[in-house]
Amino acid sequence: MGHLTFLLAAVGSLLPFPSAATPLDKRAAVDTCLSKLKVPVLTAGSADYVQALKPFNNRVTFKPAAYAVPKTVEDVQNAVSCGSQNDVKVTAKSGGHSYGSHGLGGEDGHLIVDMRNFNSVTVDQAAQTAVIGTAGRLGNVATALYNQGKQAISHGTCPGVGVGGLSLHGGYGLISRSKGLTLDNILEAQVVLANSSVVTASPTQNPDLFWALRGAGAAFGIVTNFKFKTFNAPESNLVFQYSLSPSSASQLSTIITALQDFTRNSQPPELNMRLFLSAFTTFSGVYYGTRANFDKVMQPLLTKMGIGSGGFAQITEKNTWLNTLTSFSNGPLEQPAVYDTHETFYAKSLMPEYLSPAAIDALSKYWEKNARNLNRAWYLLIDSHGGANSAVSSVAGDATSYAHRNATFKMQFYDRVYNGNYDPSWQSFLNGWIGNITAASPGVQYGMYINYADTGLSKEEAHKAYWLKNYDRLVQVKNVYDPKKLFTGPQLVGS
Ligand SMILES: Cc1cc2nc3c(=O)[nH]c(=O)nc-3n(C[C@H](O)[C@H](O)[C@H](O)COP(=O)(O)OP(=O)(O)OC[C@H]3O[C@@H](n4cnc5c(N)ncnc54)[C@H](O)[C@@H]3O)c2cc1C
């Protein structure tokens, strides 16, 4: 033994405590427990395991302590019990689309409970309700709802996203301004709690849990299925897209100012739309009404935005519901059993109630100076989320734990590469953009959307921005249902 090695060994033996086993060291114990209770697992190193660990966001990967793939609710209960007995954090995974790979724990060492086998859709057409398994992917869910009596729910645009993560934290899409968020349409949920019991959360059963699940669900248990209120799928919809080409910061400011004013004050609930700013810029959406009414509603806005009649427009009328969804899905709605689509990116969000002229000016100037000519596949997506006539804003701020009822816009800042790795230093591009907007808005606490999880936020920043004034009440509910913090992650409630 060399002198240095000997010295280190001697010092090590004098340390007061042996180093604690890390969660990854507990793999064998958790696997033994799962095996004893006959919970199906993916074995580390198998092809299925390697596939399962590929997150939607290639940039953010984690190593679990163990990987369960339950088939029954009892399997889920047993998996939760194995995590609890071995003091290993437990994380549910549905569609695996979290930007921060929160479905893989958001850090190493979790027991992942992959809910892939819970994906059925059963409609009660007379009651206009549907029971939907948590891991159903949106495209498959929309198709199944439609095939069982032409029913629909309000949900996001990407057909690969899982119902679980989307519904437990928000769920904004092409009909949210008239039908609310996905979480606004949950009637009840079946949940496995940290003590392994199964409960129903609804307005009458465990109402505090029901409140917390609708906005911050990942920290409160594992939902196996949801019962949703459905509606008749609208079948004659107008889909539109205008191409824009802002040539200066001041022109972009004019567009955003007009859009903000319209969204806040006069946008009707049957109009859903977004501004997409990137190497090319579009303004697109869906109108649930006639062409004549659409023209009447849109023309004043287009004029104020400077689009006038000169902007290139693509307008299609009489789209069925599934057609409408497909117009925004970047591919077919139906999703394969093994999902294998991935991107490599960093993203941030802002949920502003109001962007002051100075904030809009800062946003536009940053675009002109730093974004417009950047040679990466970045985009800024601005959804017209709230305002006086939006169903999202008509729900009281404390009715669910979703904290952004007053947000006029839902803004997503996204920076990706198509080949190779994302250099960590590139995060300064989006951090700088948000930083300039916030610096121009002294005293404003902007909300952020956990469904666009920003891995650059500390836990304190995340808690404040994701849940705003609902955070303290969430911690109280957490202490009731999961005092030992079995369901946790770097940014979740109580972390
Ligand atoms: C391409 C793309 C497009 C998107 N489009 C939209 C959009 O249009 N509108 C919108 O609102 N959002 C959109 N999102 C964001 C999306 O809503 C979130 O990423 C969402 O959390 C993904 O849910 P998931 O089940 O697929 O992910 P997962 O990674 O499986 O889960 C996300 C989080 O939810 C938790 N969770 C999942 N299932 C359960 C469960 N059963 N019980 C308890 N906790 C659970 C996980 O632990 C994790 O914390 C999009 C995301 C992507 C990648």
Side-chain angles (χ1 to χ4, degrees):
M1 192 185 277
H3 288 306
L4 184 62
T5 322
F6 174 77
L7 197 65
L8 288 174
V11 170
S13 69
L14 293 176
L15 290 173
F17 302 109
S19 61
T22 68
L24 282 173
D25 297 333
K26 295 179 182 169
R27 175 186 295 280
V30 179
D31 275 339
T32 303
C33 177
L34 293 169
S35 153
K36 213 158 90 191
L37 296 175
K38 298 194 168 47
V39 179
V41 296
L42 297 185
T43 313
S46 66
D48 287 348
Y49 180 85
V50 171
Q51 174 62 36
L53 258 54
K54 283 165 70 182
F56 180 80
N57 187 356
N58 288 323
R59 188 181 64 82
V60 191
T61 56
F62 299 110
K63 287 193 202 105
Y67 202 101
V69 192
K71 288 200 166 118
T72 63
V73 174
E74 194 185 350
D75 288 340
V76 179
Q77 293 177 270
N78 285 334
V80 168
S81 165
C82 287
S84 174
Q85 283 171 40
N86 290 287
D87 202 17
V88 168
K89 310 291 181 204
V90 177
T91 290
K93 179 180 166 199
S94 286
H97 271 58
S98 163
Y99 284 16
S101 302
H102 290 178
L104 290 174
E107 61 193 358
D108 288 345
H110 285 219
L111 161 57
I112 307 304
V113 182
D114 183 329
M115 300 297 288
R116 65 176 71 179
N117 295 312
F118 295 73
N119 60 6
S120 62
V121 177
T122 309
V123 173
D124 179 336
Q125 207 185 336
Q128 291 208 289
T129 61
V131 176
I132 302 179
T134 177
R137 295 193 190 274
L138 300 183
N140 294 339
V141 168
T143 307
L145 288 171
Y146 192 80
N147 290 342
Q148 295 178 51
K150 300 201 169 166
Q151 294 301 290
I153 59 171
S154 165
H155 56 73
T157 49
C158 172
V161 165
V163 167
L166 180 95
S167 312
L168 292 170
H169 306 102
Y172 182 90
L174 299 172
I175 198 159
S176 299
R177 288 184 61 82
S178 31
K179 301 292 185 186
L181 300 167
T182 312
L183 60 74
D184 291 325
N185 294 285
I186 301 174
L187 297 172
E188 60 181 51
Q190 186 185 58
V191 196
V192 175
L193 298 177
N195 64 9
S196 305
S197 63
V198 187
V199 298
T200 298
S202 74
T204 52
Q205 298 178 71
N206 302 296
D208 49 351
L209 176 64
F210 189 54
W211 174 83
L213 285 179
R214 291 171 298 153
F220 292 88
I222 298 186
V223 171
T224 57
N225 65 48
F226 300 93
K227 185 173 184 184
F228 282 102
K229 188 166 71 193
T230 66
F231 54 85
N232 294 332
E235 291 289 37
S236 183
N237 314 319
L238 186 151
V239 173
F240 63 93
Q241 176 167 305
Y242 296 89
S243 298
L244 314 182
S245 35
S247 60
S248 64
S250 75
Q251 213 177 356
L252 181 60
S253 291
T254 302
I255 290 170
I256 295 174
T257 304
L259 184 60
Q260 175 169 255
D261 181 48
F262 181 76
T263 304
R264 281 164 71 85
N265 301 310
S266 40
Q267 182 174 346
E270 62 273 17
L271 178 59
N272 292 255
M273 59 194 193
R274 63 222 320 232
L275 180 69
F276 180 83
L277 191 66
S278 71
F280 56 92
T281 300
T282 60
F283 179 55
S284 62
V286 184
Y287 183 68
Y288 299 94
T290 64
R291 174 68 193 259
N293 284 344
F294 172 74
D295 288 342
K296 215 182 298 165
V297 167
M298 287 296 276
Q299 202 47 57
L301 172 66
L302 296 177
T303 305
K304 276 196 192 154
M305 286 172 109
I307 300 177
S309 51
F312 174 71
Q314 234 182 329
I315 296 177
T316 63
E317 296 173 58
K318 303 196 169 90
N319 292 281
T320 61
W321 174 240
L322 293 186
N323 227 340
T324 305
L325 296 178
T326 309
S327 304
F328 291 85
S329 67
N330 283 329
L333 289 181
E334 287 191 55
Q335 298 298 299
V338 178
Y339 186 87
D340 205 8
T341 303
H342 312 272
E343 295 201 347
T344 304
F345 64 98
Y346 177 55
K348 299 182 83 68
S349 65
L350 276 187
M351 305 289 286
E353 288 186 33
Y354 174 70
L355 288 172
S356 67
I360 293 177
D361 186 52
L363 183 163
S364 301
K365 285 195 169 133
Y366 194 89
W367 164 78
E368 185 174 55
K369 185 158 176 251
N370 302 292
R372 188 158 57 149
N373 298 317
L374 182 70
N375 191 17
R376 281 202 300 274
W378 66 273
Y379 67 76
L380 166 56
L381 181 65
I382 306 182
D383 279 298
S384 287
H385 167 274
N389 305 317
S390 170
V392 178
S393 309
S394 72
V395 177
D398 61 356
T400 67
S401 59
Y402 180 79
H404 312 295
R405 297 292 174 185
N406 294 335
T408 299
F409 289 151
K410 177 162 81 59
M411 302 171 73
Q412 180 183 181
F413 300 74
Y414 198 98
D415 183 25
R416 72 191 139 177
V417 288
Y418 289 126
N419 296 306
N421 295 327
Y422 187 93
D423 187 317
S425 70
W426 295 340
Q427 292 186 16
S428 63
F429 164 55
L430 296 187
N431 290 335
W433 208 342
I434 299 253
N436 277 26
I437 296 169
T438 50
S441 328
V444 176
Q445 166 70 59
Y446 285 107
M448 298 181 180
Y449 185 35
I450 188 174
N451 266 345
Y452 298 149
D454 175 353
T455 54
L457 298 180
S458 69
K459 71 178 174 187
E460 290 81 9
E461 288 168 335
H463 294 160
K464 212 185 267 179
Y466 293 155
W467 294 291
L468 300 171
K469 60 182 183 336
N470 287 336
Y471 187 70
D472 291 346
R473 183 172 163 198
L474 279 166
V475 172
Q476 286 167 20
V477 181
K478 174 84 174 168
N479 289 337
V480 173
Y481 287 92
D482 183 18
K484 293 190 181 148
K485 300 185 178 171
L486 187 66
F487 304 111
T488 195
Q491 299 188 333
L492 301 190
V493 168
S495 59

